[in-house]
Amino acid sequence: MTTGLATRPGGAPRTAQRRRTVSARRGALHRKEARGAWTLLAPYLVLLMIAGIIPIIYAIVVSLQKTPTNLEPNLTGFSGGQAFVTAFTDYRFLGTFANVFSVLIIWLPLMLVGIVGLALLVHASPGRFGNTMRFIYYIPGSLAGVANLMLWVYLLNPSQSPIGGLWHALGFETIKAVVATPGTLPPILTAMLFFQGVGTWILIVNGGLNGIPDEIFEAASIDGANAWYLAWHVKLPLIRPWIGYAALMNLAYGFQLFLEPYLLDQVAGGALPDQYTPTQLGFWFAFSNSNFPAAAAMSLVVLVITLGIGLFIVFRSGLFGEEEK
């Protein structure tokens, strides 16, 4: 007895051949994409080696060397980690990290709330108004480095500042009193860092919002979502990697805080501690105490702490997670 499902002669071999052909094409496409990815990645890997991996290896090597002294200027060799002991037992070591955390604990949450809130407002205001506000927010970010410091020197000087009445009301008559009074420096550094960087990060996060397909917003609106629900339950979860990226980069910048307290100390006549942050303490080890191994040890300590907190942010925010299909 025969059935109506008779197999065409040679059908199975042809099917297997087609599968092998498709598999070969997919493999070739995968290899082509991999070559393209490595080609695009190569310049970054070179930069990472020059500016990242090699300096880290060099810092590790230097931190394990003996420190030359006045009595033994040519002292060399393996120290057994004595540089780390020198850094950890320095009386300013814990204080420098406490100072940085006193700034980060105010600045980082304020920065993230400001970035996300203002980026959502700009995205919800398309057209000329949104473009104008985006430009206005970016203006403080263009005043980086010394230009930003000069602006703040003007604002912090009670005799010249447009908010001089506030400083006089608080009992401050000179810029030295404003900067050097205990408890005022963390808020001042927070304000400087916030206004310097918030505009740039608003543009970055707003770019992430612009990358969300309009169909998602249209579907949410059809389902009855208002502006608040759309921002909180639709936009915010979709830009979580962008928020994680902003937190990661600002955290790294905060731990490298050096220029702002250093220059404020200059305008305040040396009233601030010379080693206010870990990077300043490492600078002191290297160029005031000529202890380069201890300076390298300080840099590695900052690196380990920053990497630890950074990895936590990466995994919690899904920054490098795969996109859902």
Side-chain angles (χ1 to χ4, degrees):
M1 179 182 294
T2 61
T3 65
L5 301 177
T7 303
R8 181 183 301 176
R14 290 180 181 177
T15 302
Q17 180 64 30
R18 282 197 297 269
R19 289 177 179 175
R20 286 193 293 268
T21 302
V22 171
S23 178
R25 288 177 179 175
R26 288 179 178 176
L29 180 61
H30 178 75
R31 288 189 295 272
K32 185 177 180 180
E33 291 177 346
R35 286 194 297 270
W38 280 109
T39 301
L40 294 174
L41 191 61
Y44 170 76
L45 293 177
V46 174
L47 183 62
L48 178 64
M49 287 295 297
I50 295 175
I53 303 301
I54 293 176
I56 291 174
I57 295 175
Y58 179 73
I60 294 174
V61 172
V62 172
S63 67
L64 297 177
Q65 300 298 312
K66 293 181 179 179
T67 305
T69 62
N70 293 331
L71 297 178
E72 297 179 287
N74 298 320
L75 184 63
T76 59
F78 179 70
S79 68
Q82 182 60 38
F84 290 92
V85 176
T86 300
F88 291 150
T89 57
D90 190 279
Y91 70 95
R92 296 156 296 187
F93 178 80
L94 293 178
T96 59
F97 284 97
N99 293 335
V100 166
F101 278 111
S102 69
V103 176
L104 286 175
I105 202 171
I106 304 173
W107 167 55
L108 198 56
L110 182 65
M111 190 74 166
L112 295 178
V113 171
I115 291 169
V116 175
L118 293 175
L120 289 172
L121 287 175
V122 169
H123 188 261
S125 306
R128 183 176 298 178
F129 177 77
N131 293 334
T132 302
M133 294 307 298
R134 185 163 54 242
F135 173 74
I136 292 174
Y137 291 144
Y138 180 72
I139 291 176
S142 63
L143 300 174
V146 177
N148 181 60
L149 176 77
M150 296 306 298
L151 173 63
W152 279 97
V153 168
Y154 173 68
L155 292 175
L156 295 173
N157 192 341
S159 62
Q160 300 175 346
S161 175
I163 57 173
L166 174 63
W167 298 128
H168 291 300
L170 294 174
F172 299 129
E173 300 298 331
T174 64
I175 188 173
K176 179 178 180 179
V178 173
V179 174
T181 299
T184 62
L185 190 56
I188 290 173
L189 291 174
T190 295
M192 294 176 67
L193 296 172
F194 178 84
F195 286 105
Q196 178 178 330
V198 68
T200 302
W201 285 105
I202 288 173
L203 297 182
I204 294 174
V205 175
N206 187 69
L209 288 168
N210 290 334
I212 301 174
D214 292 335
E215 292 79 3
I216 296 178
F217 302 138
E218 294 173 0
S221 299
I222 292 174
D223 291 338
N226 56 23
W228 171 256
Y229 186 93
L230 196 65
W232 188 258
H233 295 282
V234 179
K235 295 181 180 180
L236 198 58
L238 291 175
I239 61 170
R240 189 175 66 173
W242 297 87
I243 300 173
Y245 178 63
L248 181 64
M249 298 306 294
N250 281 282
L251 175 73
Y253 185 82
F255 266 101
Q256 297 173 27
L257 195 61
F258 179 87
L259 180 64
E260 288 81 1
Y262 176 80
L263 294 179
L264 284 177
D265 181 48
Q266 302 302 308
V267 300
L272 299 178
D274 293 334
Q275 296 81 43
Y276 186 78
T277 65
T279 52
Q280 285 184 293
L281 181 57
F283 183 85
W284 180 88
F285 275 131
F287 298 104
S288 296
N289 199 35
S290 299
N291 192 337
F292 286 95
M298 281 296 303
S299 68
L300 292 173
V301 171
V302 173
L303 174 67
V304 170
I305 295 175
T306 307
L307 282 179
I309 302 177
L311 288 174
F312 174 80
I313 293 175
V314 167
F315 288 118
R316 292 296 297 177
S317 66
L319 181 58
F320 298 122
E322 295 183 358
E323 295 183 0
E324 296 182 2
K325 302 296 184 183

